[in-house]
């Protein structure tokens, strides 16, 4: 389980790179957008058998005896003859965006062939025309095995420019024994017996969907009214001191120590929490939970596009997807990997196939949706409202 998984999901978003982007797109600056016809550069994949892959720290499989080795990358190199230059340089979506956006705005290479960013950030790349369309005819595994529920998010219909690396669920984690009752609904978080014992995510993109779902909003097409209704509710709870605080990666510590009894949480973290404390439960609320993804994309002018497409497709082989899922414990975007894990001779590995937080069952899937992203026109004012509440 990646120790930094929660920090990349829950960091407080400032108005640095995000504000810059909102200004560029909100004001309609034409230089920012790159049309499809100008995104591809000269592809050197045949002459340069390598690929540059940038990811988050601790977000890939490692060898148990040698943590510097990554078995799936070794397997890709052996199968294809393509060397992978793998770096763990992405620690924050906005920080990384700020690092490579000057090159993209000036129609220059970034030095990256494939990167992993959260879907709300991937939406910015897609809307700006900074992600290349992939050749699905060269990606048979993606075409065949990609989870149907993740195939066509609002920001990238048909998943033409992005492919999920791993997925996850935003729901509620709570200590059933200490609380003495079940939590089934987002509204249960506002019960008087949880006063001062609840935390929410500080990041707007990480928080809003679940809270809106708790109010009955359809988050696939939520409105400004839905947003402000949610903010009014949260602001009221902050003023009543019902919400203990807003958190980043430290929410797991609060729950483990008993400082809080219930909190917004991610499915991947819940697996680790439950291993240490069986009294911790994770629930997808009756009103629904958010199914999110962190996705692979190929930046404009990437010099080894075909090699990047081959690497992406390699991870959609169910065998490779199973190895990755067994290591990182997020929702696997390749449902067929479940059968691979179930057939394992190792009992602990085989049990992962039955874990609904890695392979959601039908009942859970009925309550999961992919939320519409916050548009560039909305972001500045919405972030200002939300960050004002977080800072109360």
């Amino acid at each position: 389980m990646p120790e930094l998984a929660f920090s990349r999901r829950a960091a407080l978003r400032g108005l640095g790179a995000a504000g810059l982007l909102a200004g560029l797109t909100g004001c309609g600056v034409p230089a920012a957008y790159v049309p499809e016809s100008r995104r591809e550069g000269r592809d050197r994949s045949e002459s340069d058998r390598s690929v540059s892959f940038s990811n988050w720290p601790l977000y890939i499989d490692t060898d148990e005896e040698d943590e510097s080795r990554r078995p799936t990358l070794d397997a890709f190199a052996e199968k294809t003859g393509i060397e992978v230059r793998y770096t763990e340089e992405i620690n924050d979506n906005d920080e990384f965006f700020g690092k490579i956006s000057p090159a993209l705005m000036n129609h220059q290479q970034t030095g990256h062939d494939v990167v992993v960013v959260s879907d709300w950030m991937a939406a910015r790349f897609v809307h700006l025309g900074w992600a290349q369309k992939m050749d699905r005819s060269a990606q048979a595994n993606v075409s065949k095995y990609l989870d149907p529920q993740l195939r066509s998010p609002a920001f990238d219909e048909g998943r033409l420019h992005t492919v999920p690396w791993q997925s996850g669920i935003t729901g509620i984690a709570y200590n059933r024994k200490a609380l003495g009752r079940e939590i089934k609904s987002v509204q249960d978080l506002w019960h008087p017996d949880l006063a001062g014992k609840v935390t929410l995510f500080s990041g707007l993109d990480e928080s809003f969907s679940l809270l809106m779902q708790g109010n009955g909003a359809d988050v696939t097409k939520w409105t400004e009214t839905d947003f402000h209704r949610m903010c009014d509710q949260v602001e009221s709870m902050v003023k009543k001191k019902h919400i203990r605080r807003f958190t980043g990666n430290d929410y797991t510590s609060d729950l483990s120590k008993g400082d809080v009894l219930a909190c917004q949480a991610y499915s991947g973290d819940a697996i680790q929490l439950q291993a240490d404390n069986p009294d911790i439960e994770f629930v997808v609320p009756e009103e629904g939970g958010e199914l999110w993804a962190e996705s692979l994309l190929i930046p404009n002018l990437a010099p080894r596009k075909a090699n990047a497409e081959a690497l992406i497709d390699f991870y959609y082989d169910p065998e490779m997807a199973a190895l990755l899922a067994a290591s990182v414990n997020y929702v696997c975007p390749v449902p067929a990997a479940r059968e691979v894990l179930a057939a394992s001779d190792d009992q602990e590995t085989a049990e992962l196939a039955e874990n609904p937080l890695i392979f959601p069952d039908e009942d859970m899937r009925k309550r999961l949706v992919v939320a519409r992203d916050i548009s560039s026109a909305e972001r500045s004012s919405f972030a200002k409202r939300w960050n004002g509440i977080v800072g109360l």
Side-chain angles (χ1 to χ4, degrees):
M1 167 64 199
E3 294 175 4
L4 298 185
F6 16 95
S7 62
R8 68 171 171 270
R9 297 287 316 162
L12 175 61
R13 310 299 171 195
L15 289 177
L20 170 64
L21 174 64
L24 285 171
T25 56
C27 296
V29 178
Y33 180 78
V34 179
E36 197 85 54
S37 61
R38 296 185 60 197
R39 297 177 196 176
E40 287 194 28
R42 184 171 68 87
D43 194 343
R44 303 200 305 267
S45 293
E46 288 191 11
S47 60
D48 183 349
R49 302 301 286 166
S50 68
V51 64
S52 174
F53 178 17
S54 294
N55 202 351
W56 300 82
L58 306 176
Y59 207 20
I60 199 170
D61 57 303
T62 57
D63 187 277
E64 291 184 2
E65 297 181 359
D66 181 0
E67 292 188 357
S68 66
R69 288 191 60 247
R70 299 171 179 94
T72 54
L73 290 181
D74 292 344
F76 174 74
E78 182 177 352
K79 179 180 180 180
T80 64
I82 299 171
E83 175 194 358
V84 182
R85 294 193 297 275
Y86 184 77
T87 57
E88 297 181 334
E89 65 174 298
I90 304 176
N91 293 288
D92 176 89
N93 284 288
D94 282 334
E95 179 185 46
F96 184 69
F97 178 87
K99 179 179 179 179
I100 69 172
S101 58
L104 290 165
M105 279 190 286
N106 287 290
H107 311 291
Q108 299 170 349
Q109 291 184 5
T110 66
H112 302 81
D113 294 310
V114 60
V115 302
V116 178
V117 294
S118 299
D119 263 4
W120 62 266
M121 177 57 76
R124 298 183 187 176
F125 279 82
V126 172
H127 293 326
L128 282 168
W130 290 1
Q132 296 188 54
K133 183 183 292 185
M134 297 186 203
D135 179 5
R136 290 288 183 259
S137 68
Q139 294 181 312
N141 289 330
V142 173
S143 299
K144 182 176 181 180
Y145 294 117
L146 173 58
D147 186 340
Q149 208 162 3
L150 294 168
R151 281 184 181 270
S152 193
F155 73 88
D156 186 19
E157 292 185 11
R159 281 282 184 188
L160 301 177
H161 304 87
T162 62
V163 175
W165 170 246
Q166 293 292 281
S167 185
I169 302 166
T170 301
I172 297 170
Y174 68 104
N175 190 315
R176 170 71 182 271
K177 183 176 180 181
L179 183 58
R181 65 177 175 87
E182 283 186 284
I183 287 182
K184 298 182 178 180
S185 164
V186 174
Q187 296 302 317
D188 289 342
L189 292 177
W190 315 134
H191 195 278
D193 65 355
L194 280 172
K197 294 290 186 178
V198 174
T199 61
L200 302 179
F201 289 139
S202 55
L204 171 57
D205 296 274
E206 290 74 22
S207 299
F208 79 88
S209 178
L210 185 76
L211 299 173
M212 283 188 194
Q213 285 172 295
N215 290 331
D218 179 352
V219 295
T220 65
K221 52 184 178 181
W222 57 271
T223 66
E224 182 176 354
T225 298
D226 294 324
F227 175 80
H228 287 296
R229 180 187 176 199
M230 177 273 290
C231 286
D232 290 343
Q233 181 184 50
V234 174
E235 185 172 25
S236 172
M237 289 298 168
V238 170
K239 290 179 178 179
K240 292 177 182 178
K241 301 189 183 304
H242 186 93
I243 297 171
R244 180 182 179 89
R245 68 190 187 100
F246 294 86
T247 68
N249 61 320
D250 48 352
Y251 81 92
T252 55
S253 175
D254 287 349
L255 187 61
S256 297
K257 292 187 298 184
D259 292 339
V260 303
L261 296 181
C263 57
Q264 276 188 310
Y266 302 122
S267 54
D269 299 343
I271 294 174
Q272 182 180 25
L273 288 167
Q274 290 166 344
D276 296 332
N277 183 350
D279 294 324
I280 300 297
E281 296 199 15
F282 179 87
V283 61
V284 175
E286 293 172 338
E287 307 96 334
E290 180 188 10
L291 181 67
W292 47 261
E294 288 172 322
S295 288
L296 300 139
L297 61 83
I298 300 173
N300 289 359
L301 305 181
R304 292 162 290 267
K305 181 174 183 283
N307 291 348
E309 290 169 338
L311 177 66
I312 292 168
D313 197 56
F314 180 77
Y315 276 100
Y316 271 73
D317 179 320
E319 294 280 350
M320 296 301 109
L323 286 174
L324 187 59
S327 179
V328 302
N329 292 165
Y330 278 86
V331 174
C332 181
V334 182
R338 181 179 180 275
E339 296 178 12
V340 177
L341 291 175
S344 173
D345 293 332
D346 181 79
Q347 182 179 351
E348 186 176 347
T349 300
E351 287 175 353
L352 294 175
E354 303 305 319
N355 191 325
L357 301 187
I358 299 177
F359 298 98
D361 56 30
E362 185 176 350
D363 177 64
M364 183 178 286
R365 281 190 178 276
K366 289 178 181 177
R367 287 173 281 143
L368 296 176
V369 296
V370 177
R372 128 170 133 74
D373 58 294
I374 299 172
S375 72
S376 57
E378 297 166 327
R379 181 163 294 277
S380 181
S381 63
F382 284 10
K384 183 177 181 180
R385 172 88 200 270
W386 178 255
N387 291 344
I389 295 171
V390 170
L392 284 176

